Amino acid sequence: MSKKLEKTTEAVAAISTIIAGDSIAVIPPTEVSSYKFMTLDGKKLKRAIESNLGNDGFNVRSLPQVKIPTGGITTWTIPSSSGEIESKTFNGVIIHWNETREKYKGKFGEAGAEKFPNCVSNDGKTGIGDPGGDCKICPFAQFGSRSDGKPGQECGLKRNLFIINQTSLMPIVVRLSVMSIKPADKYALNLLCEDGDPLEHVLTQFSLIKAKNPGGQDYSQVVLKKVSSLSTEEIARVEHFQSFYDKLFGQRLEDDPMSEDVGF
């Protein structure tokens, strides 16, 4: 093989292509190629987890959470080893999501309020505890069921997004309330309809807008936007990264009873 042909072959192999009919869409590497997980050494990471968190200390609650601010604030506060970073947007790849519900007896700080939920659902569909059962028909999962008279559900639905970003070898978690789940569903549907992309095959931008709930209260709504599709190499590394954390995704994240989520 000539040197010229060899270089041409190497250049073609270095990029990803998707063949659709007679056309070829070229997908160059994205910023994801510079993310730490792209050079993930599973054995080294496992040793670091055991050293820092203990053999039994690694669970979903170990993952850093990026909390949605209250009151319509449109700036993220992102945890890092060097302190919190404030940013209007951040990019990442959603490698998994699930939905959960929790119902507490009483409100945090009030007399008789319970510290732990008396009914939980690990899939957003079936409750375990009191009253338990089918969440779809549970009266506490209906809008307008809040005991304090405010709009929303007594047993609030949350969607947990597990995201890999540029700086972390562990997924970060963003917990969406109901009013942010709707636009997230629309985003996922658009990806499917336009390009047939699953969430884990695209780089997503996360931002916040100020919105009002039906009760007239300001809240911060999460907005998702596609930055680019991932290359074949990046997708392969994402799938490897997913498999490393698979055991975490079925675990339940607990609500913060001190938070006031007016986005339901």
Side-chain angles (χ1 to χ4, degrees), residues 8 10 20-21 27 40 59 97-98 102 107 109 111 113 115 120 134-135 145 149 154 164 177 200 234 236 247 257:
T8 301
E10 290 175 353
I27 303 178
L40 175 67
N59 55 52
W97 64 268
N98 61 25
E102 293 184 356
K107 190 167 179 60
K115 182 178 179 181
V120 300
D134 188 347
C135 295
S145 62
E154 182 73 6
I164 45 178
S177 63
E200 64 269 23
E234 290 166 343
K247 65 179 182 179

Side-chain angles (χ1 to χ4, degrees), residues 8 10 40-41 65 81-82 101 117 141 149 174 200 212 214-215 241 252-253:
T8 301
E10 290 175 353
L40 175 67
D41 182 333
Q65 289 194 42
S81 59
S82 57
R101 287 184 179 274
V174 173
E200 64 269 23
K212 286 186 182 293
F241 195 81
R252 182 175 60 87
L253 275 165

Side-chain angles (χ1 to χ4, degrees), residues 108 135 172 203 262:
F108 182 81
C135 295
I172 62 174
L203 180 63
V262 297

Side-chain angles (χ1 to χ4, degrees), residues 82-143:
S82 57
E84 294 182 334
I85 301 170
E86 292 191 348
S87 178
K88 286 291 186 181
T89 65
F90 70 90
N91 293 347
V93 180
I94 302 170
I95 60 172
H96 183 77
W97 64 268
N98 61 25
E99 292 184 338
T100 58
R101 287 184 179 274
E102 293 184 356
K103 178 188 176 296
Y104 290 81
K105 183 179 179 181
K107 190 167 179 60
F108 182 81
E110 294 180 349
E114 296 183 357
K115 182 178 179 181
F116 301 102
N118 57 327
C119 188
V120 300
S121 173
N122 293 331
D123 59 6
K125 297 177 181 179
T126 304
I128 302 171
D130 181 17
D134 188 347
C135 295
K136 188 175 182 179
I137 61 175
C138 178
F140 297 109
Q142 310 307 312
F143 283 96

Side-chain angles (χ1 to χ4, degrees), residues 1-12:
M1 181 183 294
S2 68
K3 289 184 177 180
K4 183 176 180 180
L5 181 57
E6 185 177 346
K7 288 183 178 180
T8 301
T9 304
E10 290 175 353
V12 172

Side-chain angles (χ1 to χ4, degrees), residues 17-25:
T17 60
I18 294 179
I19 302 177
D22 295 327
S23 62
I24 297 178

